[in-house]
Amino acid sequence: MDQAGLVKRQFGHRARLALSPAQEVILDGQAHTARAVWNLLHEWWQLLPREKRTLAAADTAIRRARREIDWMRDLPAQAAQAVLKTYFQAWKNCWERRASAPEFKARLRTPLALDVPQGRDLQVLRVHRRWGMVNIPKLGRVKFRWTKDLPVGKLAGKDRRITGARLVKDALGWHIAFRITTLEPVPAPHTGPQVGIDAGIAIPLALSDGTGFHHDPWLTEKEQAQLLDLERRAAHQKSCRNPGERTSRRLHRTYDRIAGLRAKAKRRHLDWQHQTTTTIARTYGTVVVENLGIANMVKSARGTVEQPGTKVAQKSGLNRVIHAEAWGRTTTMLAYKTTRHGGTLHRVPAPGTSQRCHACQTTTPGSRETQAKFVCKNAACGWSGNADTNAARNVLAAYRAGHAPAPAAGRCSRQTRKRAKPTTAR
């Protein structure tokens, strides 16, 4: 809270850049340089004694390296400092058990990215209804797709400004993600109704009031056929390659086309998630979801050689569907959108919500007849209906009964933190 009645809010906005081939080559080179700086910093950090692992020592090392190594000068100085701060923050997240330890960034498996940490360097300007201009250090003025009003010109000020940006490249090209900070009035408490949400397969999001949010396949039939053809072509081209031989340019182009179709599907999925979660946050004051352990849900059923699993192919198909729905990302969106609209988000334990009848609160074997149908086998009840709606009502009932969510476990082990933590930390 910065001022009376105002709250500080930070969010991002992503837009597509329109780069020329020459500009794309320059930006690719800067991103690869940033990745190399990360790897050199990681190696330097591991070699130093614990008592010398400090942010000041790392900053001095990077400044000296920029004076002595020619190719490091291709990276803007502020971007190099951003790499250092990101690396140090990664270790802090590990020590606080919020993430795993930083690792070496491989060239082919690491997405290209670059930071512009200071908003004043961007000089954002709107030049057309559909296009804007942004200044990128050591690259110049670049057009980007204008899809949202940004705090530039008369709209900018102390209460609303762009504080920086991050350039990211995916299969669809380079994009810029603006970091925006605003001061907004504290939202009034949302007076909407309470609702429980069940994330499922038959109905992606089923609500306790009977509402369901569906979506079509992310790719059209023509695009799905094209993706299947490209995957078969890639498999054939890969089989023709001799062991140890480098990947051909033709195979790389096939991989790029596959990645482009998958990126298009992900973009459509994100758009559906944003629209759906915004609708829920605006309509309901209290949103209750399951505290799902997705990592345990998508474990393979293959088993071991001594004890092989059963229905491995079916479980693999289910795991792919669960990954494709991205339930965790939906919950993250609901968390900040409900807060923005004055509502609240609560998590309740997930076990039993899909097997228990919400009407009589009993769990009877065989009640979940199919993925979409629930028929209570309790002779005194006999309720029947949609299985996902039944689970959503159980989720809401668990919240009203006062069940607290299970504690979240960290991903960085105690041994890793003890080995990596320098004596000067914290």
Side-chain angles (χ1 to χ4, degrees), residues 75-86:
L75 185 68
Q78 297 295 334
Q81 293 296 319
V83 173
L84 170 60
K85 292 181 179 180
T86 304

Side-chain angles (χ1 to χ4, degrees), residues 11 35 48-49 84 111 115 132 158 161 172 216 236 245 259 302-303 354 375 397 417:
F11 63 96
R35 180 187 56 82
L48 276 185
L84 170 60
D115 272 311
K158 294 183 179 180
R161 66 186 188 278
L172 300 177
D216 296 327
H236 175 71
E245 185 180 357
R302 185 175 304 173
S354 61
V375 178
R417 290 186 293 113

Side-chain angles (χ1 to χ4, degrees), residues 14 170 172 218-219 259-273 324 326 329:
R14 180 164 169 156
D170 59 11
L172 300 177
W218 307 124
L219 294 176
L261 285 173
R262 291 176 176 172
K264 184 181 294 185
K266 182 179 179 180
R267 183 180 59 182
R268 292 170 180 170
H269 189 187
L270 280 170
D271 180 68
W272 178 84
Q273 284 183 308
R329 189 167 61 205

Side-chain angles (χ1 to χ4, degrees), residues 94-405:
C94 177
W95 300 331
E96 296 173 4
R97 303 186 67 180
R98 294 199 301 265
S100 57
E103 297 179 351
F104 180 87
K105 290 189 175 182
R107 180 182 180 89
L108 298 179
R109 296 193 302 270
T110 304
L112 295 181
L114 187 68
D115 272 311
V116 183
Q118 296 185 353
R120 65 172 180 267
D121 296 335
L122 296 172
Q123 302 175 13
V124 180
L125 177 66
R126 186 173 187 177
V127 297
H128 189 264
R129 182 172 63 90
R130 295 180 178 272
W131 294 97
M133 296 289 289
V134 60
N135 180 70
I136 299 177
K138 292 197 174 185
L139 188 63
R141 305 291 288 176
V142 178
K143 292 174 60 178
F144 69 92
R145 188 72 169 171
W146 191 282
T147 57
K148 184 178 182 178
D149 289 336
L150 298 175
V152 298
K154 296 182 180 180
L155 298 177
K158 294 183 179 180
D159 296 345
R160 182 177 173 86
R161 66 186 188 278
I162 298 176
T163 58
R166 182 173 178 83
L167 308 174
V168 183
K169 186 178 183 181
D170 59 11
L172 300 177
W174 277 98
H175 296 74
I176 182 169
F178 295 100
R179 291 190 288 268
I180 304 171
T181 300
T182 63
L183 284 178
E184 298 180 354
V186 178
H190 200 303
T191 58
Q194 299 177 348
V195 68
I197 299 179
D198 175 70
I201 304 300
I203 302 178
L205 290 179
L207 276 57
S208 56
D209 59 2
T211 306
F213 290 93
H214 302 264
H215 59 74
D216 296 327
W218 307 124
L219 294 176
T220 63
E221 293 184 1
K222 183 178 179 180
E223 290 169 339
Q224 292 178 9
Q226 184 181 5
L227 178 60
L228 180 60
D229 178 69
L230 289 172
E231 290 176 342
R232 289 174 176 172
R233 186 184 306 176
H236 175 71
Q237 293 172 351
K238 187 176 180 180
S239 65
C240 297
R241 186 180 57 180
N242 297 325
E245 185 180 357
R246 294 185 61 182
T247 304
S248 65
R249 294 183 179 179
R250 181 179 298 176
L251 181 55
H252 272 304
R253 286 194 294 268
T254 305
Y255 283 153
D256 290 342
R257 294 180 63 184
I258 293 174
L261 285 173
R262 291 176 176 172
K264 184 181 294 185
K266 182 179 179 180
R267 183 180 59 182
R268 292 170 180 170
H269 189 187
L270 280 170
D271 180 68
W272 178 84
Q273 284 183 308
H274 275 293
Q275 293 189 34
T276 303
T277 53
T278 300
T279 301
I280 294 174
R282 288 175 176 174
T283 306
Y284 301 97
T286 301
V287 181
V288 189
V289 297
E290 295 175 295
N291 191 18
L292 296 173
I294 300 178
N296 294 328
M297 295 173 62
V298 296
K299 284 185 177 180
S300 174
R302 185 175 304 173
T304 62
V305 177
E306 295 79 10
Q307 296 181 349
T310 59
K311 298 184 178 180
V312 179
Q314 293 88 333
K315 185 62 168 66
S316 298
L318 178 62
N319 292 347
R320 284 193 295 270
V321 174
I322 293 175
H323 279 301
E325 289 298 334
W327 296 335
R329 189 167 61 205
T330 301
T331 303
T332 302
M333 291 181 181
L334 283 172
Y336 73 82
K337 290 185 179 183
T338 51
T339 302
R340 183 183 177 186
H341 289 85
T344 56
L345 178 74
H346 302 274
R347 296 177 175 85
V348 297
T353 55
S354 61
Q355 304 295 330
R356 184 172 60 251
C357 176
H358 78 277
C360 62
Q361 292 298 309
T362 59
T363 302
T364 310
S367 296
R368 186 73 179 263
E369 292 189 347
T370 63
Q371 185 68 32
K373 187 176 181 180
F374 186 95
V375 178
C376 183
K377 300 301 181 181
N378 184 4
C381 179
W383 183 89
S384 64
N386 185 271
D388 294 327
T389 302
N390 174 73
R393 292 174 180 175
N394 283 327
V395 169
L396 181 59
Y399 163 74
R400 291 173 174 173
H403 292 292

